[in-house]
Amino acid sequence: MDKTNKMANELQDEASYKKKIGITIILFGWIAILISVIFSIHFGASHVTYRTVWESLFSYNDNNSAHVIIHDLRLPRALAAVFVGAALAVSGSLMQGMTRNPLASPSILGVTAGASFCIALAFAFFPDITYGKLILFSFVGAGFATVLVFGIVAISKGGNTSVKLALAGTAISALFTSLSTAIGLKFNVAKEMNFWYAGGVSGIQMNQLKYAIPVIIIGIVISIFLSRSITILSLGDEVSTGLGQNTRIVRILGMIAVLLLTGAAVSIAGMIGFIGLVVPHITRFIVGIDYRYIIPCSAIIGAVLLLAADILGRMINPPFETPVGAVTALIGVPFFLYLARKEGTNL
């Protein structure tokens, strides 16, 4: 009995400690993001001092070429990395919590590939499409892929398993990627699609961000609003229903948030994989299993991680750039294989 009480106290102390870490990250994580953004703006083929960065942000001079480079190229790139990283990480956290599947993420389950497929259709049939409408195509593609993957798993024998969901997602991803390639070649839009295949935040303009950032913020707000319900849902449907929770409504709202986050992220940055897979696991290891801390902390860690990956992509082979999607894959593929081998991981 004493041993049981001791273990319970140790678990309670550990949960309390992780809760404090989560609160610390939420309160001070913006400092890490700010430092990463400043370093991202500073680093590049053209040397820019930190003083110039500061002056360009608070005393902009359009006659100064360094200020123009920062405002037109580097600042949008850094902001895109922040919001795309946060969007993909939160989306992955929601998917893993709702499905109780450690392998769930937008890239693994084909959501990003579906969004890219509809973007390919938009380029092929509506060459002069506005960016606002392009986001809508991205949402439709993400939703279509999600329905396909979960529909395939639902009608399969043996029910839902981690590996089965990952295999269905991989198959759908391969299908949509192949179709996107065929459309690109057939309609001569392969050049436009190369950016979405590689995944990256270079060349992003402020006019793109003004559409995508509000959508991402709405998705994150919905996710935070659902965080307590996702914590209960991650314990299982029976427990969730027993506590009076409407699991169907929670899943519908959760999937709406996933589609908003993934659709907006893919529309500006393409198919950046594994942020949504790796970050939620790192976050749970740090702050525990309470999604009230997992979701906001995932947003912060995802933003910093994608900024770091983008900076690393510029450092690997200067003055040429390695696509950030390739950098995140170097981290994510081994992690995915490890999780696939350890299928029974608890969420």
Side-chain angles (χ1 to χ4, degrees), residues 83 86-94 139 211-227 230 253-265 295-296 299:
F83 283 96
L88 294 176
V90 172
S91 179
S93 296
L94 283 175
F139 292 154
Y211 290 103
I213 287 177
V215 175
I216 291 172
I217 290 174
I218 291 171
I220 292 175
V221 170
I222 294 173
S223 304
I224 292 173
F225 174 76
L226 291 174
S227 59
I230 298 296
L253 291 174
M255 289 312 302
I256 289 172
V258 167
L259 297 182
L260 290 174
L261 293 168
T262 306
I295 288 175

Side-chain angles (χ1 to χ4, degrees), residues 98 226 247-257:
M98 289 189 298
L226 291 174
T247 58
R248 179 176 295 180
I249 295 297
V250 172
R251 284 197 170 94
I252 289 173
L253 291 174
M255 289 312 302
I256 289 172

Side-chain angles (χ1 to χ4, degrees), residues 139-322:
F139 292 154
V140 171
F144 184 51
T146 302
V147 171
L148 272 181
V149 171
F150 283 95
I152 290 171
V153 173
I155 63 175
S156 64
K157 294 181 180 180
N160 186 358
T161 66
S162 299
V163 173
K164 191 179 292 185
L165 198 59
L167 289 173
T170 302
I172 293 300
S173 291
L175 172 64
F176 281 134
T177 301
S178 300
L179 291 174
S180 299
T181 303
I183 290 170
L185 295 174
K186 173 68 175 177
F187 294 93
N188 199 28
V189 292
K191 185 176 180 181
E192 289 85 347
M193 289 306 301
N194 282 339
F195 170 79
W196 271 268
Y197 295 151
V201 290
S202 62
I204 292 176
Q205 303 296 316
M206 279 295 187
N207 67 322
Q208 295 172 279
L209 295 178
K210 74 179 182 180
Y211 290 103
I213 287 177
V215 175
I216 291 172
I217 290 174
I218 291 171
I220 292 175
V221 170
I222 294 173
S223 304
I224 292 173
F225 174 76
L226 291 174
S227 59
R228 183 177 178 276
S229 298
I230 298 296
T231 301
I232 298 172
L233 190 62
S234 68
L235 300 175
D237 284 4
E238 291 183 3
V239 174
S240 183
T241 303
L243 292 173
Q245 182 167 272
N246 190 327
T247 58
R248 179 176 295 180
I249 295 297
V250 172
R251 284 197 170 94
I252 289 173
L253 291 174
M255 289 312 302
I256 289 172
V258 167
L259 297 182
L260 290 174
L261 293 168
T262 306
V266 172
S267 70
I268 60 174
M271 296 174 63
I272 296 177
F274 299 106
I275 292 290
L277 174 70
V278 174
V279 172
H281 286 275
I282 295 173
T283 307
R284 275 194 296 273
F285 177 77
I286 295 172
V287 305
I289 61 172
D290 191 338
Y291 278 79
R292 290 177 297 176
Y293 303 104
I294 290 174
I295 288 175
C297 290
S298 290
I300 293 167
I301 295 172
V304 173
L305 182 59
L306 193 58
L307 275 167
D310 183 46
I311 295 169
L312 182 60
R314 286 179 261 174
M315 296 174 64
I316 291 174
N317 186 29
F320 304 102
E321 293 189 9
T322 302

